Amino acid sequence: MATDNPVVSQADAGAIWNRVLEYLRSCVSGEAFDTWLSPTKGRELKGDVIEVEVPTSFFVEWLSQRYAANIKTALAAVCARPLSVSFRPRGQDDIARLHEHRTRSPWKITDSPSYSARSAYRLKPNYTFANFVVGESSRLACAAARSVAERPGVAYNPLFIYGGPGLGKTHLLHAIGNHLLSERGDKAKILYVAAETLFLEFIQAIEKDTRLEFKNKYRCLGLLLLDDVHYLVGKERLQEEIFHIFNHLHNAGSQVVFTSDRPPKEIPTLEERLTSRLGSGLVVDIQPPDLETRIAILHHKAALEGLSLPPEVAHYVASRVKSNVRELEGCLVRISAMSSLAGEPVSLALAEKALKDLLPPEQTPSADAVITKTAEVFGVPAAAIRGPSRTKQLALARQAAMFALRHKLGLSLKEIGTMFGGRDHTTVMHALDKIQSLCTTDPTVASKIERIMSGITGA
Ligand code: ADP
Ligand code: MG
């Protein structure tokens, strides 16, 4: 392979990037590797540039800011010739598809076989694996879902996914269905159904005396995606019916995936034999995502909507909404609506205003806790931050503390000035502006601010 050969080589790009990843594995923490590096793929080699696919545009920003030096060293170590890297977000394809979907005329949509199959199967087109941001807390569930989507009826049958509300269980169910539909087309007999809908259908079947049709409809499936089975509590006849449907599908080698808000054994009054059927395959849980994953989810959703989301706004929202991705999305919708109504770009001030009544009151840490944390991150004595010294390092730490006090505690410029020996509000304003701009230009400062903001907790 010559340096000046522009021929696109996928195999080479993949192999080189895998070697780079192997090298990087020993340079960064396991968690950072799994979150930011492991989801990347070497796609193309164009001359001296290796094109690497990443899940979202936020990864481009993050990897370029945080890992550029490590990646450069790794490339130099594993390649015989100098190569540079260019990141390409996979999300771009999704955005293109989304726009295409939106601009298509309605009759074209109904003409499309995959669209009609999708609606017949009740699958939501945007709930795909590509749109699911994987974090530590959802890694196992997502891997199991992928494996079932790739080889249905083989490995984990049934697959049972449980977890709290708004953590992506329904999303993963649809992702399995969408994947199989794209692989096998209309031949795949897939059906997504929420237990509540199944119950209504069952009642109707009893009323209209069409139970045989009901049975047949479910027994002929290749993949049954049954959502929210905790809803079956107390519905004994339906449980009985599902037990038989499940046995039939299982014997026929068809795949069944269940979700619930708790594990099978903790669903009260669920008939013993159904409980043991539900738990007879693989049972996996989904836990709330960590801060980095919440930020990545926000950036991914914003990119899909074409919304420009500054990093400090993503951080602000993600550090306030911790246990429910649906609520994270709700915040983004509010911010986006307020931004277009006010005709203003998204900023921290706009986000704070938009989410004022939506967010739970934050447990307020003390000003002392903010200053102590800042001192610790900057490696200076806390007392010196409040003092008069103007050395460069102390001045920066002081400005960072002012920034944190403003954005974490919402203190006024005057209050902050008083806290630092009666400095006036313009000095404080200058400090806030400076840190804000350093956050976008200086990754070291950005990372320190992030550590301060996420490291301070309420009393
Ligand atoms: P659940 O079924 O667990 O209550 P959903 O699957 O309905 O939750 O998810 C709620 C919303 O959050 C959906 O819009 C989904 O797309 C989104 N969501 C949840 N987890 C993720 C994730 N890891 N990445 C991207 N979006 C997610
Ligand atoms: Mg759900």
Side-chain angles (χ1 to χ4, degrees), residues 62 70 249 311 314 340:
W62 192 273
N70 285 336
L249 291 177
S340 58

Side-chain angles (χ1 to χ4, degrees), residues 24-93:
L24 289 171
R25 194 186 279 280
S26 58
C27 315
V28 302
S29 75
E31 198 173 321
F33 184 89
D34 288 346
T35 310
W36 301 110
L37 292 161
S38 139
T40 62
K41 284 198 176 67
R43 283 297 183 210
E44 289 178 6
L45 195 57
K46 291 179 177 163
D48 290 338
V49 179
I50 177 165
E51 224 172 68
V52 173
E53 187 186 85
V54 299
T56 65
S57 54
F58 179 62
F59 273 70
V60 179
E61 213 174 292
W62 192 273
L63 289 170
S64 316
Q65 275 189 12
R66 312 279 158 131
Y67 296 106
N70 285 336
I71 290 171
K72 202 170 157 194
T73 316
L75 273 169
V78 305
C79 301
R81 64 192 170 102
L83 284 183
S84 60
V85 64
S86 154
F87 295 114
R88 183 180 70 191
R90 196 189 314 141
Q92 264 177 2
D93 299 342

Side-chain angles (χ1 to χ4, degrees), residues 313 316-317 335 346-356 359:
V313 175
Y316 167 72
V317 178
I335 292 172
V346 176
S347 66
L348 199 53
L350 182 130
E352 282 171 350
K353 202 160 129 199
L355 305 180
K356 209 166 58 193
L359 294 177

